[in-house]
Amino acid sequence: MARPAKESDEAVLTRAMTVFRALGYEGASLSKLSEATELKRASLYHRFPGGKEDLATSTLAALGRWLDAQVLSPLKRPGDPKKRLEAAASAFDALFDGGKDASLINVFGTPEASPQSLVDGAQSLALAMITGIAAVLEETGLDPDEARTRAVRGVALLEGSMVLARAFRDPAPFRAALATWPDELLGPSQTEKTAPAAEQPEKTESNEEPPKQTSEVRRAVARHLALLNGRSL
C-alpha cells in the first residue's frame, strides 16, 4: 500500500497560521499547533528544529510570500493607481476573511509578547506594505514625504480597524475602513481640505501652523522608515 504524500510545508504553515491568529504567539502551545497541523511533535521538530519560534517565523515568511504575490507585485504593475489600490484592498479583504481573522503583523509585532525575530519580521512586512503603497501614490504626483505619510496612515488604518474588529468580535470596523481605503489614500491633504475651494490660503499666523505640523509629521515618518531600512539620516 502506497504511503500518503507528505503534507507540504505551505499547507502546514497555513494551518499553523490559524492557531497563531486565534491564540497569539504565547497562547499557541506546541500541542495546539501539533493538533492543527496534524503533525506529531517529533515531525514538527523535524521540519522546524527551532520549535514554536521557528514555526512562527516560517509562518510569517509565508505571509510575506503571499503579500508579495497578491499585493506588492500587483501594486508595481503599470495602470491606474486607484485600480491597483482597489486590487490591494480586495487582496487584504481575502487575506483577513473580511475582518474575521487577526493580522499576523499585529499578532507577532508586540515586543512584550513575541521574540525579537518575529517583531523584526512583522516590521519588515509592514515596511514593505508602506513602501509599495507610497510608490503608487508618488505616481499620482505626490511628493515622497506626503506619499510615505499617507502610506503609513493607510497601513495603520487597516491594522487598527482589524484590532477594533477583533475587540468587538464584529468585522464591521474593518469593512468600513476597507470600503473607503483607496479614496483615503488618494484624497486631498488635510490642508487642501480646509482651504476655500476657489482661494489660496492666506499667509497668516492662524493658518501657518497646520502646514508646520504636517511637515513635522512627514519628517518623523521619513526618519522612522529610514531607521527601519537601516539607513542613517
Side-chain angles (χ1 to χ4, degrees):
M1 182 176 177
R3 296 179 62 184
K6 179 182 177 182
E7 190 95 53
S8 71
D9 281 347
E10 290 298 322
V12 170
L13 295 175
T14 298
R15 293 175 179 174
M17 193 179 296
T18 62
V19 179
F20 287 121
R21 278 174 157 169
L23 303 176
Y25 180 78
E26 290 184 323
S29 65
L30 277 175
S31 60
K32 292 287 186 182
L33 291 165
S34 177
E35 180 182 352
T37 58
E38 300 180 0
L39 292 174
K40 295 181 179 180
R41 284 198 181 198
S43 297
L44 273 178
Y45 274 109
H46 178 71
R47 293 197 187 196
F48 308 99
K52 184 169 77 169
E53 182 176 348
D54 193 357
L55 178 56
T57 302
S58 298
T59 300
L60 202 56
L63 174 61
R65 292 190 292 273
W66 190 95
L67 283 172
D68 185 62
Q70 302 299 324
V71 177
L72 301 179
S73 292
L75 283 176
K76 295 175 183 177
R77 294 170 187 161
D80 180 63
K82 184 174 182 179
K83 290 187 181 301
R84 286 148 65 193
L85 291 171
E86 288 174 341
S90 295
F92 287 128
D93 191 22
L95 176 63
F96 303 117
D97 193 17
K100 297 175 184 177
D101 290 339
S103 164
L104 286 183
I105 292 177
N106 180 263
V107 169
F108 291 145
T110 306
E112 295 79 11
S114 300
Q116 189 60 45
S117 62
L118 296 180
V119 175
D120 291 342
Q123 288 181 349
S124 295
L125 289 185
L127 178 62
M129 291 165 59
I130 291 167
T131 302
I133 294 167
V136 174
L137 296 179
E138 282 190 56
E139 292 180 24
T140 69
L142 291 175
D143 67 78
D145 286 346
E146 173 70 7
R148 282 193 298 264
T149 301
R150 291 192 187 197
V152 169
R153 189 164 63 240
V155 173
L157 182 62
L158 286 177
E159 293 291 321
S161 66
M162 282 185 283
V163 171
L164 285 178
R166 192 169 179 82
F168 288 112
R169 292 177 172 81
D170 184 349
F174 176 75
R175 303 294 304 164
L178 204 62
T180 59
W181 191 68
D183 291 326
E184 290 280 344
L185 290 168
L186 293 167
S189 67
Q190 292 300 315
T191 53
E192 290 171 332
K193 289 178 182 178
T194 56
E199 300 178 13
Q200 293 293 328
E202 296 180 6
K203 294 184 178 181
T204 63
E205 184 177 350
S206 61
N207 62 19
E208 286 179 356
E209 188 62 23
K212 179 182 178 182
Q213 292 175 344
T214 301
S215 178
E216 290 174 351
V217 170
R218 291 176 181 174
R219 285 198 296 271
V221 168
R223 188 162 52 247
H224 175 70
L225 293 179
L227 288 173
L228 287 178
N229 271 320
R231 299 193 301 265
S232 59
L233 293 177

